[in-house]
């Protein structure tokens, strides 16, 4: 289906709904570009969850780590990050290292030919000449999609992995967030039926926007969308939740919801999206999780944050067993390694290797 974008103009392509675009980002019915969370379904999420666990387990031994590193040493990835990043950049780079993928990066537009007037499309086409993946973060919405469209209409389409686009999407963060939630509730009945409190800048927080869509695959799960009025969740996400019959509550209060939450997902004010005429507050004290709140939280509550944080998440919470955000950070490299192995088809070799290990150890391969 990749080549079929040649039959549609960019403006007409932009007018399509995410569901209508989905086939153009797949090849032979399988994920090729990873651009937005609407591309995923429960079967995919379950597969990535299992695959992530398998990769983690295999990597614990030297022999297993060397097996993983030997999978794709002939692959190269461009890390094209036009926005500041620590965790997403490092976790993608480390994920590539886990699989033996070589990496290069461009993290500053001032050192690329874009300063000479090169078009975005020509930059992307140049990367496709040298690399097998483009992992990109861009401050403008839709640029990852535009890159995918550009390469679909070239003689060398390669996967585009969206590492964050403007205020809109962060699909790989949503994958690792769902993974973290499921791991957190492994011994508490699973994610189904849980109450998830999303708090902070929900309007511009691309992590919570993408995560909200994946929550719809887990029956009985409720979202509490807690934010200041000016940063309430966007109407497009609300419409999506309505369409998927997700139980949610919109609230401009925070503390009162803490006792009922099975998971709390904190976000900072996304003031990098401010304009000169519209400056945001750096934080909202009434939407901050403090150490003194720990006593009213559920014993199994999972506290998460995509980081970086400010005053909205007290560092005094860090050593509480319910604090999952450092695990969440580490989960990123494993989940992204699973995603890349799935896109390339090497996930089947990984599963077969794990199955053989389990047979040798005389136990089940289920994880």
């Amino acid at each position: 289906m990749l080549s079929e974008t040649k039959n549609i103009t960019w403006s007409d392509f932009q007018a399509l709904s995410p569901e209508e675009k989905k086939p153009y980002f797949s090849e032979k019915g399988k994920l090729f570009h990873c651009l937005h969370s609407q591309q995923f379904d429960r079967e995919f999420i379950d597969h990535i969850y299992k695959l992530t666990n398998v990769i983690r387990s295999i990597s614990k031994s030297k022999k297993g780590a060397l097996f993983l590193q030997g999978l794709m040493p002939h692959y190269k990835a461009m890390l094209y990050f036009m926005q500041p990043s620590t965790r997403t950049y490092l976790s993608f780079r480390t994920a590539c290292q886990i699989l033996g993928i070589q990496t290069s990066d461009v993290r500053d537009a001032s050192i690329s030919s874009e300063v000479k007037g090169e078009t975005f499309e020509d930059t992307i086409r140049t990367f496709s000449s040298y690399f097998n993946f483009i992992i990109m973060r861009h401050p403008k919405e839709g640029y990852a999609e535009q890159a995918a469209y550009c390469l679909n209409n070239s003689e060398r389409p390669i996967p585009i992995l969206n590492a964050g686009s403007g205020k809109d999407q962060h699909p790989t963060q949503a994958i690792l967030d769902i993974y973290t939630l499921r791991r957190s509730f492994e011994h508490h009945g699973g994610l189904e039926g849980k109450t998830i409190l999303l708090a902070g800048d929900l309007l511009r927080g691309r992590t919570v926007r993408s995560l909200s869509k994946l929550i719809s695959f887990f029956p009985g799960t409720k979202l509490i969308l807690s934010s200041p009025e000016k940063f309430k969740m966007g109407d497009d996400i609300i419409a999506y939740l309505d369409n998927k019959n997700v139980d949610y509550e919109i609230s401009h209060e925070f503390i009162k919801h803490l006792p009922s939450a099975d998971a709390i997902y904190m976000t900072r004010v996304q003031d990098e999206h401010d304009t000169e005429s519209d400056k945001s507050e750096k934080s909202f004290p009434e939407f901050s999780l403090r150490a003194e709140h720990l006593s009213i939280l559920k014993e199994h509550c999972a506290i998460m944050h995509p980081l970086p944080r400010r005053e909205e998440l007290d560092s005094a919470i860090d050593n509480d067993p319910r604090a999952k955000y450092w695990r969440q950070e580490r989960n990123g490299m494993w989940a992204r390694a699973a995603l890349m192995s799935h896109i390339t088809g090497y996930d089947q070799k990984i599963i077969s290797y794990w199955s053989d290990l389990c047979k040798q150890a005389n136990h089940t391969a289920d994880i």
Side-chain angles (χ1 to χ4, degrees), residues 34-38 40 44-45 48-49 88 92 162-164 168-182 191 205-215 217-218 265 304 306 328 331-332 335-336 339:
C34 181
L35 305 176
H36 50 68
S37 53
Q38 294 99 312
F40 311 145
F44 170 83
I45 293 170
I48 293 296
Y49 180 75
T88 303
F92 260 119
N162 182 0
D168 184 35
Q169 287 274 354
H170 203 341
T172 66
Q173 179 74 39
I175 290 173
L176 76 91
D177 287 343
I178 283 289
Y179 177 82
T180 302
L181 285 168
R182 296 181 78 173
L191 179 52
R206 57 194 174 198
T207 62
V208 287
R209 287 173 53 81
S210 291
L211 176 59
S212 296
K213 294 171 182 176
L214 298 197
I215 289 293
F217 296 121
F218 296 85
Y265 194 109
M304 297 171 61
Q328 179 185 358
N331 289 341
R336 286 166 173 138
L339 173 66

Side-chain angles (χ1 to χ4, degrees), residues 34-157:
C34 181
L35 305 176
H36 50 68
S37 53
Q38 294 99 312
Q39 292 177 261
F40 311 145
D41 55 26
R42 180 61 188 263
E43 182 181 2
F44 170 83
I45 293 170
D46 287 346
H47 176 62
I48 293 296
Y49 180 75
K50 178 180 179 179
L51 184 59
T52 303
N53 284 337
V54 166
I55 290 173
R56 290 177 66 146
S57 297
I58 290 174
S59 71
K60 289 179 181 179
S61 72
K62 180 178 180 181
K63 182 179 179 181
L66 289 174
F67 161 75
L68 291 169
Q69 290 169 17
L71 288 173
M72 286 187 269
H74 55 307
Y75 275 71
K76 301 178 182 65
M78 164 53 71
L79 295 161
Y80 179 48
F81 276 60
M82 292 295 97
Q83 264 189 317
S85 174
T86 301
R87 276 150 295 277
T88 303
Y89 170 82
L90 287 176
S91 69
F92 260 119
R93 185 174 178 183
T94 307
C96 289
Q97 292 169 346
I98 289 168
L99 298 172
I101 300 171
Q102 303 172 66
T103 61
S104 297
D105 60 51
V106 172
R107 303 188 68 185
D108 184 349
S110 68
I111 63 171
S112 79
S113 289
E114 290 181 54
V115 298
K116 302 177 184 178
E118 182 172 74
T119 66
F120 173 74
E121 289 79 7
D122 282 359
T123 297
I124 294 299
R125 290 285 297 267
T126 297
F127 293 156
S128 74
S129 295
Y130 302 129
F131 299 97
N132 307 97
F133 286 104
I134 300 174
I135 301 162
M136 63 176 289
R137 168 173 285 199
H138 204 282
K140 295 183 180 179
E141 291 89 38
Y143 262 50
E145 191 172 286
Q146 187 173 342
Y149 176 87
C150 170
L151 293 185
N152 283 5
N153 286 280
S154 75
E155 76 287 351
R156 187 173 164 78

Side-chain angles (χ1 to χ4, degrees), residues 184-254:
S184 299
F185 298 133
E186 271 184 325
H187 304 297
H188 299 283
L191 179 52
E192 287 83 356
K194 297 297 189 292
T195 296
I196 314 299
L197 172 60
L198 306 181
D201 186 347
L202 306 186
L203 177 66
R204 306 179 297 179
R206 57 194 174 198
T207 62
V208 287
R209 287 173 53 81
S210 291
L211 176 59
S212 296
K213 294 171 182 176
L214 298 197
I215 289 293
S216 66
F217 296 121
F218 296 85
T221 304
K222 178 180 179 179
L223 287 175
I224 300 176
L225 307 174
S226 170
S227 70
E229 169 67 30
K230 67 184 293 186
F231 292 134
K232 65 183 180 181
M233 186 64 83
D235 291 341
D236 60 327
I237 301 298
I238 297 302
Y240 182 91
L241 297 177
D242 286 335
N243 183 56
K244 299 295 183 180
N245 295 314
V246 177
D247 184 13
Y248 67 88
E249 176 182 350
I250 298 173
S251 176
H252 302 309
E253 298 180 88
F254 175 65

Side-chain angles (χ1 to χ4, degrees), residues 180-181 184-185 188 258-259 261-265 289-305 313 316-328:
T180 302
L181 285 168
S184 299
F185 298 133
H188 299 283
L258 295 180
D262 295 292
I264 302 167
Y265 194 109
L289 188 64
R290 319 301 303 172
E292 57 263 30
H293 298 145
L294 291 174
S295 62
I296 64 173
L297 301 186
K298 290 183 178 181
E299 187 176 343
H300 64 262
C301 183
I303 303 170
M304 297 171 61
H305 194 302
L313 181 59
I317 294 173
D318 288 3
N319 293 323
D320 189 281
R322 291 166 290 188
K324 306 297 184 185
Y325 35 93
W326 297 116
R327 293 184 186 182
Q328 179 185 358

